[in-house]
Amino acid sequence: MKKILMLQAVMIAFLWGYQVFAADSANPEISDLTPWLGHSVSIIHLYQGESADNYFAEVAKHAPEGYTVEMVKEFICSQFAVKFKSIYFADKDTIVIDDRIIGKYSYVGSLTTKWKDVRTTWQIFKTDSEEMIGAGFKYVILFPFHQHSKDSLRHAHLRYGNENFDFLITDPSVQMWWPAIYQPETTDEAKIMATMINGAKLQASILPALKNTGKD
């Protein structure tokens, strides 16, 4: 179990610069959805098409024994899986999912988690919208937009669900679930994919070894 938890922590640190998150806003006080205003899509959108295929193929070249390109893709995509294509933060309290589900959200507060010296503070929002709750978005918890370098993807993290917010932040079943969103209108997707391909070897180094590779 300790080995699994260590792998999870290392993977999160690599994927998103966990220890050095720097939010866009210099003001840490958040009380509404203003920091996320605009149209965003899931990072899964980047994992489509020829550039994404090249990325997964490059990672597979350096992956632990037994991995296929498809297995690499499945593993990486599972970390960011969401049940929406787009999310629009229309104003300080309104969220629109896939241009069709609309709900008003109120700010609940923040919750900070810690692993050793690593801290992450999530901002928690809740809705009473029956439509949103029916779709599974009673709670939306968010981390502000940030990037790790000038050439890296500017993105934000979120989780959502009808479970209570502490479950969504701390339950072991979601510890490797790191949905991410970015704003395509201000993103050079080709450049981002090129950067990711250049880092494929490092990505491969944190893939867990397979339990059974078919050899003695």
Side-chain angles (χ1 to χ4, degrees), residues 2 13 16 25 51 75 87 110 135 141 148 152 154 161 204-205 207:
K2 289 183 179 179
W16 303 116
S25 175
S51 293
F75 182 86
I87 183 168
S110 64
I141 60 175
H148 313 142
S152 65
R154 177 180 178 271
S205 71
L207 291 173

Side-chain angles (χ1 to χ4, degrees), residues 87-191:
I87 183 168
Y88 178 56
F89 298 89
D91 53 40
K92 64 184 181 63
D93 61 5
T94 307
I95 296 177
V96 184
I97 301 293
D98 289 335
D99 298 324
R100 60 184 182 84
I101 306 174
I102 303 174
K104 293 287 186 179
Y105 281 79
S106 58
Y107 182 64
V108 174
S110 64
L111 179 62
T112 299
T113 59
K114 181 179 180 181
W115 187 87
K116 292 190 175 181
D117 294 328
V118 179
R119 292 178 180 271
T120 301
T121 299
W122 294 95
Q123 306 298 330
I124 305 161
F125 297 86
K126 179 183 178 181
T127 186
D128 293 323
S129 164
E130 293 183 2
E131 186 177 24
M132 278 293 195
I133 295 172
F137 293 89
K138 180 177 182 178
Y139 290 100
V140 174
I141 60 175
L142 296 149
F143 188 92
F145 280 97
H146 57 279
Q147 59 188 134
H148 313 142
S149 70
K150 64 182 180 65
D151 295 324
S152 65
L153 177 67
R154 177 180 178 271
H155 62 283
H157 295 285
L158 82 163
R159 288 178 181 166
Y160 58 85
N162 290 349
E163 300 88 351
N164 56 57
F165 58 80
D166 56 335
F167 171 90
L168 291 170
I169 295 173
T170 64
D171 192 83
S173 68
V174 297
Q175 289 307 292
M176 284 299 290
W177 186 43
W178 283 88
I181 55 175
Y182 70 97
Q183 296 179 320
E185 291 82 1
T186 57
T187 300
D188 185 337
E189 295 178 347
K191 183 178 180 179

Side-chain angles (χ1 to χ4, degrees), residues 61 68 106 123 206:
K61 289 179 183 179
T68 65
S106 58
Q123 306 298 330
I206 60 173

Side-chain angles (χ1 to χ4, degrees), residues 38-110:
H39 172 254
S40 294
V41 297
S42 167
I43 193 175
I44 295 295
H45 179 74
L46 287 176
Y47 296 146
Q48 316 291 325
E50 183 177 352
S51 293
D53 291 342
N54 292 339
Y55 168 63
F56 293 124
E58 193 64 26
V59 173
K61 289 179 183 179
H62 307 284
E65 184 179 4
Y67 274 91
T68 65
V69 174
E70 193 59 35
M71 290 166 67
V72 167
K73 179 178 181 179
E74 181 179 356
F75 182 86
I76 293 174
C77 288
S78 69
Q79 312 305 306
F80 312 114
V82 290
K83 57 181 182 180
F84 63 83
K85 293 182 178 179
S86 69
I87 183 168
Y88 178 56
F89 298 89
D91 53 40
K92 64 184 181 63
D93 61 5
T94 307
I95 296 177
V96 184
I97 301 293
D98 289 335
D99 298 324
R100 60 184 182 84
I101 306 174
I102 303 174
K104 293 287 186 179
Y105 281 79
S106 58
Y107 182 64
V108 174
S110 64

